[in-house]
C-alpha cells in the first residue's frame, strides 16, 4: 500500500541463519525489490536509534511484536522483552533521534480482555487477560506518555482481529482455511481446534492498513479503534469455510468431546485441550464510530467475503502444488 502511494519503504527484519524473511518471503519479487531491508531487532535499542537517526523516516509503523496470544502464556518474559522493551526502544529512538517521525503503534482489542459492555470503543476500560495483552497495555501507555510528555506524533491503533491469506498458520482463521482447503482436496484429516465458542470481530487486513495510514495523516495524534462491528464465533467461521466446499457441518457433543460432522458422517472438526488458553479474551465487537467520523474509515470486506478470500487462496495454493507435481 505504501509503495503504491509512492513511499520509499524501509523494513526491519531479524537475521536468521537460513536468511529466510518470514512472511516477507510471501511478497512478490517486484515488491521486495523496492523495499530496503535492514537487519536488526527491536529489542536492540542501539540498532533502532542508529537506523532512525540515519533514515529519519516520516512515518514509522511499529508492528514488531511477539503477536501470538497463546504463546505468551508459555513465554511471558520473552513476550514482555519484545513487546514492552521493544516499544520503549522505538519510543526513545523517536524522541532522541527522529522527533519529527510520526509513529503508529499496533495496540490491540486484546486490551479489553473480556469486556462486559459491547461494542467496545476508545473509552471502554482495559482489563488485559494474557501476558501478551499486559505487554501491549504497557506499550499503549508508553506511546501515550511519550506523546504527551514530549509532544511527539504517536498514535495507538486499537485494532480488532485482522486476517488475510498471509496470516500465520497457527492463528485460528488460517488454521481453518488451510484445513478446509486440505479437506476440499481429498484429505480426511480433521481440523483440531480449541474454544469453538470464542467470539471475535474479524476483518480483512487490507482494509485495516489503510486505516493505520490514515491515522498518521491527521493534524493531531490520537488513538483509534478499527474493527467491523460484527461479532462471530470460531464455530461460525468453521461453518462458513466448509460451506465454500459445499459441506454442511453438524455439531455433536460438547466441550472437548464436541465434533463437527459432514452430512456423510465424517468427523471433520475435533476439539483438543491443547488449543485452549488458561484465560480467554473474547466477547469482542468494535465500535469504530470515531474512526468513521475522524478518519472517514470503514471496513469494506464482510465476514463471508473474508472467509472466501482465505479459503480460495489456500485452495489455489494446493492446486498450484498439485500442478507443479504433475509437471
Ligand atoms: N490460535 C488458535 N488455535 N486459536 C483458537 C483455536 C486454535 O486451534 N481454537 C479456538 N481458538 C480461539 C482462541 O482461543 C481465540 O479466542 C480465537 O480463536 C482467536 O485466536 P487467534 O487466531 O490465535 O488470535 P487472537 O484473537 O488470540 O489474537 C490475534 O488478534 C489480536 C487482535 O487484533 C493476534 O493477531 C493478536 O496479535 C492481535 O492483537
Amino acid at each position: 500500500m505504501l509503495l503504491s502511494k509512492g513511499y520509499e519503504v524501509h523494513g526491519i527484519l531479524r537475521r536468521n541463519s537460513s536468511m529466510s524473511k518470514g512472511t516477507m518471503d510471501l511478497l512478490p519479487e517486484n515488491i521486495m525489490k523496492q523495499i530496503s531491508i535492514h537487519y536488526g531487532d527491536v529489542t536492540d535499542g542501539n540498532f533502532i536509534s542508529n537506523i532512525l537517526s540515519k533514515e529519519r523516516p516520516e512515518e514509522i509503523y511499529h508492528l514488531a511484536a511477539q503477536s501470538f496470544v497463546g504463546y505468551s502464556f508459555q513465554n511471558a518474559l520473552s513476550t514482555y522483552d519484545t513487546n514492552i522493551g521493544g516499544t520503549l526502544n522505538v519510543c526513545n529512538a523517536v524522541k532522541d533521534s527522529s522527533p519529527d517521525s510520526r509513529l503508529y503503534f499496533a495496540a490491540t482489542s486484546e486490551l479489553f480482555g473480556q469486556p462486559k459492555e459491547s461494542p467496545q470503543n476508545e473509552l471502554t476500560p482495559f482489563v488485559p487477560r494474557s501476558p501478551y495483552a499486559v505487554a501491549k497495555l504497557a506499550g499503549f501507555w508508553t506511546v501515550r506518555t511519550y506523546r504527551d510528555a514530549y509532544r511527539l506524533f504517536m498514535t495507538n491503533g486499537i485494532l480488532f482481529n485482522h486476517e488475510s491469506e498471509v496470516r500465520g498458520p497457527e492463528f485460528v482463521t488460517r488454521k481453518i482455511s488451510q484445513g478446509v482447503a486440505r479437506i476440499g482436496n481429498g484429505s480426511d484429516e480433521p481440523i483440531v481446534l480449541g474454544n469453538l465458542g470464542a467470539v471475535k470481530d474479524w476483518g480483512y487486513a487490507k482494509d485495516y492498513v489503510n486505516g493505520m495510514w490514515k491515522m498518521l495523516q491527521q493534524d493531531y495524534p490520537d488513538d483509534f479503534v478499527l474493527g467491523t462491528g460484527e461479532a462471530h464465533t470460531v464455530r461460525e467461521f468453521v461453518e462458513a469455510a466448509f460451506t465454500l466446499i459445499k459441506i454442511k457441518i453438524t455439531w455433536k457433543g460438547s466441550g472437548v468431546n464436541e465434533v463437527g460432522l459432514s452430512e456423510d458422517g465424517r468427523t471433520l472438526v475435533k476439539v483438543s485441550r491443547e488449543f485452549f488458553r488458561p484465560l480467554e479474551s473474547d466477547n469482542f465487537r468494535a465500535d469504530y464510530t470515531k474512526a468513521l467520523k475522524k478518519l472517514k474509515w470503514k471496513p469494506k470486506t464482510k465476514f463471508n467475503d473474508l472467509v472466501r478470500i482465505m479459503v480460495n487462496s489456500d485452495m489455489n495454493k494446493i492446486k498450484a502444488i498439485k500442478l507443479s507435481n504433475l509437471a
Side-chain angles (χ1 to χ4, degrees):
M1 187 201 71
L2 292 174
L3 288 172
S4 71
K5 289 183 188 297
Y7 280 67
E8 179 186 321
V9 178
H10 293 251
I12 290 173
L13 272 180
R14 274 168 301 157
R15 193 197 162 278
N16 56 46
S17 54
S18 60
M19 291 309 274
S20 76
K21 297 190 175 73
T23 42
M24 289 200 76
D25 279 329
L26 302 170
L27 287 175
E29 212 182 304
N30 65 322
I31 301 273
M32 265 316 270
K33 268 195 206 143
Q34 298 176 66
I35 302 175
S36 308
I37 299 291
H38 306 268
Y39 283 93
D41 194 310
V42 78
T43 57
D44 178 348
N46 278 341
F47 165 75
I48 297 294
S49 289
N50 288 341
I51 198 83
L52 290 199
S53 48
K54 185 163 164 259
E55 300 298 341
R56 297 289 188 107
E58 284 166 41
E59 295 174 13
I60 301 168
Y61 294 88
H62 170 34
L63 314 178
Q66 190 303 91
S67 68
F68 192 45
V69 177
Y71 177 83
S72 78
F73 284 100
Q74 290 147 28
N75 288 288
L77 181 59
S78 71
T79 304
Y80 282 20
D81 285 348
T82 305
N83 296 7
I84 304 179
T87 302
L88 183 61
N89 286 338
V90 173
C91 289
N92 277 330
V94 170
K95 170 170 106 33
D96 297 332
S97 309
S98 189
D100 293 330
S101 296
R102 293 182 167 211
L103 177 78
Y104 171 89
F105 172 62
T108 164
S109 52
E110 290 295 298
L111 298 179
F112 298 125
Q114 213 157 47
K116 291 193 180 66
E117 53 192 79
S118 192
Q120 299 86 40
N121 62 29
E122 295 78 2
L123 301 174
T124 306
F126 294 143
V127 190
R129 280 167 63 88
S130 66
Y132 166 82
V134 171
K136 283 285 182 179
L137 185 64
F140 176 95
W141 283 111
T142 305
V143 164
R144 278 276 276 264
T145 305
Y146 273 56
R147 170 164 95 207
D148 296 342
Y150 309 116
R151 304 199 182 289
L152 298 166
F153 196 111
M154 295 184 163
T155 69
N156 283 299
I158 307 167
L159 270 52
F160 285 61
N161 295 55
H162 39 294
E163 315 294 313
S164 83
E165 52 276 51
V166 297
R167 183 57 132 160
E170 71 276 38
F171 294 91
V172 77
T173 55
R174 189 74 195 288
K175 204 168 157 183
I176 297 167
S177 67
Q178 283 188 329
V180 167
R182 195 181 62 232
I183 291 165
N185 275 280
S187 163
D188 263 341
E189 192 189 321
I191 307 172
V192 185
L193 298 169
N195 181 6
L196 295 171
V199 178
K200 298 275 173 167
D201 177 325
W202 279 293
Y204 189 33
K206 265 191 189 170
D207 296 345
Y208 290 55
V209 291
N210 179 256
M212 289 156 58
W213 175 78
K214 284 185 164 192
M215 288 180 207
L216 296 195
Q217 315 311 312
Q218 298 300 294
D219 291 337
Y220 301 102
D222 204 346
D223 305 326
F224 292 94
V225 157
L226 300 185
T228 68
E230 261 190 51
H232 292 277
T233 58
V234 171
R235 196 182 273 104
E236 285 165 357
F237 200 104
V238 170
E239 289 166 1
F242 273 107
T243 305
L244 295 165
I245 58 164
K246 307 208 172 2
I247 292 179
K248 188 178 175 339
I249 292 288
T250 312
W251 301 100
K252 219 178 118 190
S254 63
V256 286
N257 296 317
E258 185 165 1
V259 287
L261 303 170
S262 62
E263 282 127 321
D264 57 3
R266 284 178 296 154
T267 300
L268 300 182
V269 184
K270 281 185 171 176
V271 175
S272 164
R273 258 181 235 293
E274 186 191 343
F275 300 110
F276 280 81
R277 293 165 187 179
L279 269 184
E280 183 61 281
S281 307
D282 75 332
N283 191 26
F284 290 155
R285 186 160 77 83
D287 166 9
Y288 61 90
T289 311
K290 182 173 169 185
L292 182 63
K293 264 195 200 147
K294 292 202 171 173
L295 307 177
K296 312 264 176 289
W297 180 89
K298 63 175 176 193
K300 291 186 186 141
T301 313
K302 302 298 285 180
F303 177 73
N304 281 319
D305 295 327
L306 169 69
V307 180
R308 187 175 39 74
I309 290 167
M310 293 184 71
V311 171
N312 284 350
S313 163
D314 282 322
M315 293 288 279
N316 288 337
K317 277 179 195 147
I318 294 181
K319 253 185 230 155
I321 293 169
K322 276 187 175 168
L323 280 176
S324 76
N325 286 347
L326 282 179

